[in-house]
Amino acid sequence: MRMTLLALALAVGAGASAQLHVGTSNVSLLLDAQPGERFEYVYFGPALAEADIPAIMATETHVDAYPVYGMDVCNPYAFAATHADGSMATDVRVESATQTRDEAAGSTTTRVRLKDTMYPFYIDVVYLTRDDCDVIETWTEISHQERKPVTLTEFASAYLPIRRGDVWLSHLNGAWGNEGNLNQEKLTPGIKTIRNIDGVRNSQNAHSEVMFSLDGKPDERKGRTIGAALCYSGNFDLSVNTDASAWHRFTAGIDADNSAYPLAKGEVFVTPALALTYSDAGTSGVSRNFHRWGRKYRLCHGDTERKVLLNSWEGIYFDVNEPVVKEMMGDIAEMGGELFVLDDGWFGDKYPRTGDKSGLGDWVIDRNKLPDGISGLLKAADSLGIKFGIWIEPEMANKYSELYDKHPDWIVQAPGRDPIYGRGGTQLVLDLGNPAVQEHVFNVFDRLMSEYPAIDYIKWDANMPIKNHGSHYQSADGQSRLYIDYHRGFENVCRRIRQKYPDVTVQACASGGGRANWGILPYFDEFWVSDNTDPLQRVYMQWGTSYFFPAMTMASHISASPCHATHRATPIKYRVDVAMSGRLGLELQPKHMTDFEKEFSKKAIETYKQIRPVIQLGDQYRLHSPYEGDGVAALMYVDEPRDHAVFFWYKTEDFHNHHYPRVAMDGLDPDKMYRITELNRIDDNPLACDGQIFSGAWLMANGVDLPYRHGMPYMSDYSSRVLRLDAVD
Ligand code: DGJ
């Protein structure tokens, strides 16, 4: 690896100012890092021309780039600490600024070292940019040489001032079975905080990613838009403070409440990265920046197509038994699927996992249910030509488990108080800050994989929050480390697992979509979007989730009708068409499908395999949002050369003689001609556009004429269309 310390283009002007340009091809962050002075922010937005920078430096308002608490306490701050001598005031100045170029990686690291004016106390603000994506990752590294520990009480990863105006915030919220809801609101005076304190999972109720639309109400296709994603798996706090100043002051980082961190002399506290991006192409443009960056630099196996799978959960729940499981494996193989995943219910000896009250922690096969064990299932999968995957929930235990009998001190528990139980009234969270627990969690994975190396996929679940505060492992004065050390422990285990098992596919599930975050995705291939597989609600949830995560991360399964979560009945085409816009899978008992449903799904699986590279590795263009309330949603994927695309159209409301908006396409090459083919066709009558050739220019200006409904006998409340576009010479 060749690293070059770039002579910093600190064009030190006549005044006390030193420009520091952190840039990607299309995005610039301009800072003032004059040694001995305050570290200041000047600009963030579209890439700057070098020729403009001196005048910008001289004329734009400079504001704190990373304000700390102490000498300007009436203003928002990103950092606060109690120093060894008890002082709560910190005051820092730039000590140095360096830019290091790594030619092999095509990346540049910018490091601004801030030093307290009184104490040997340092904050390094770091920025990482890569040549081929428009995301700036930024974080801080905090250290000191004071006599005693310094207690960190606020430690945002980043601070970004955003000029006041008609600025709108987009963020996701939800609940179990209703994850990834998109909220868009104008920023008004006051503090808007998006926060999660679940302790274990962090994306069910709120999400640690946001967008700021600078030109008024967010638009999917146009408008200056900033995106920010905190890459962390634990409690977070994203706040926008709109006060009397000219700025919306945005801070993002670990939630510091009840997490004061005692930083030892010489220790370095590294905050999680905040991924920052900018696009002129609206919210969809920012999403594409995140998707590309994620697939290339953050997501495990971001360049590899995912398999089509059948997961057993909604098909059989805890009723695991060998003949049924083997039958399901045969069915998915026959339908063209590539992987079968055995969900919860396969384990437990002394305390069999017959329901959610027992067995968690005891990762031994229940021989009553599976006499031939995992080997038998792997053999069956092999003979069917499919792969096999299995469910675990290694961070947890049940009160009724041999693990808890042996290690009652491994659980998270308030000192001296009774344990607090979660799912099933018996579930407990293991204290991952404890190295012995980390070893246990690693071993759960390691034992399975070393004993059964043919396992292709692990579904890693986590179904309980931290409900009480306390660690048997931490010292009395270290109790506030509980949350942070939990996630450090989690990451340590994930890192070890990936070192040893780089190839296995791992899904992050957490009571559905509780772990959709960029903190875990370096170790996980995908996440379960929600336990709710109702296709209508999934249109909304997947729309929201796609704001920050690419299609290949979003496990999206065809399930039974009526849906188990909502009891809504929907036609198979609608269920298939919605599931196909993400990582396609099935979540049902195939033997309960009608012949028609089975045949339709089988054809769709075949089709999906052909279009999978475009959906999973292409660029997403969100075209018409279901949240607009117009009764229709449409999106498309386009491959990089803009030769192939797939267009999805869903009706979300059905009223007789109601008119739905015509949807123009996006992302195509205006000069190329594209042949349209309808996929998953259910009507007897082909669409008028089927087989026709249109220019990209026409399609992007007009789209195609689509009937609002399917013909009889397929007419229902739920219409959907999938079109494939292929460039022709
Ligand atoms: C919660 C998950 O979200 C489900 O998909 C399933 O795996 C269950 N846990 C199993 O207990």
Side-chain angles (χ1 to χ4, degrees), residues 313 318 343-344 353 391 423 459 461 463 509 511-512 528 531 587:
W313 182 242
F318 289 106
D343 210 285
D344 200 350
R353 181 75 169 165
W391 178 97
R423 186 183 184 192
K459 175 172 173 177
D461 209 343
N463 288 298
C509 174
S511 308
W528 185 218
D531 275 344
E587 181 94 16

Side-chain angles (χ1 to χ4, degrees), residues 79-90 146 148-153:
F79 177 88
T82 304
H83 291 274
D85 63 3
S87 166
M88 291 175 67
T90 303
E146 298 184 31
K148 288 197 287 186
V150 172
T151 304
L152 311 182
T153 51

Side-chain angles (χ1 to χ4, degrees), residues 458-474:
I458 298 279
K459 175 172 173 177
W460 179 312
D461 209 343
N463 288 298
M464 190 187 162
I466 287 179
K467 282 180 161 250
N468 53 173
H469 193 129
S471 164
H472 295 275
Y473 169 74
Q474 304 284 0

Side-chain angles (χ1 to χ4, degrees), residues 657-717:
N657 260 341
H658 182 81
H659 293 286
Y660 296 90
R662 174 86 173 245
V663 180
M665 296 191 185
D666 206 349
L668 301 171
D669 183 334
D671 299 327
K672 285 187 180 164
M673 300 299 291
Y674 295 91
R675 174 178 288 111
I676 293 192
T677 313
E678 184 180 11
L679 305 178
N680 299 346
R681 197 176 115 199
I682 202 164
D683 289 326
D684 297 334
N685 298 327
L687 284 177
C689 63
D690 199 5
Q692 297 290 340
I693 295 172
F694 301 87
S695 68
W698 166 269
L699 293 169
M700 290 195 290
N702 304 285
V704 290
D705 218 348
L706 290 174
Y708 297 154
R709 289 183 161 175
H710 298 288
M712 291 306 271
Y714 303 110
M715 193 182 286
S716 82
D717 288 354

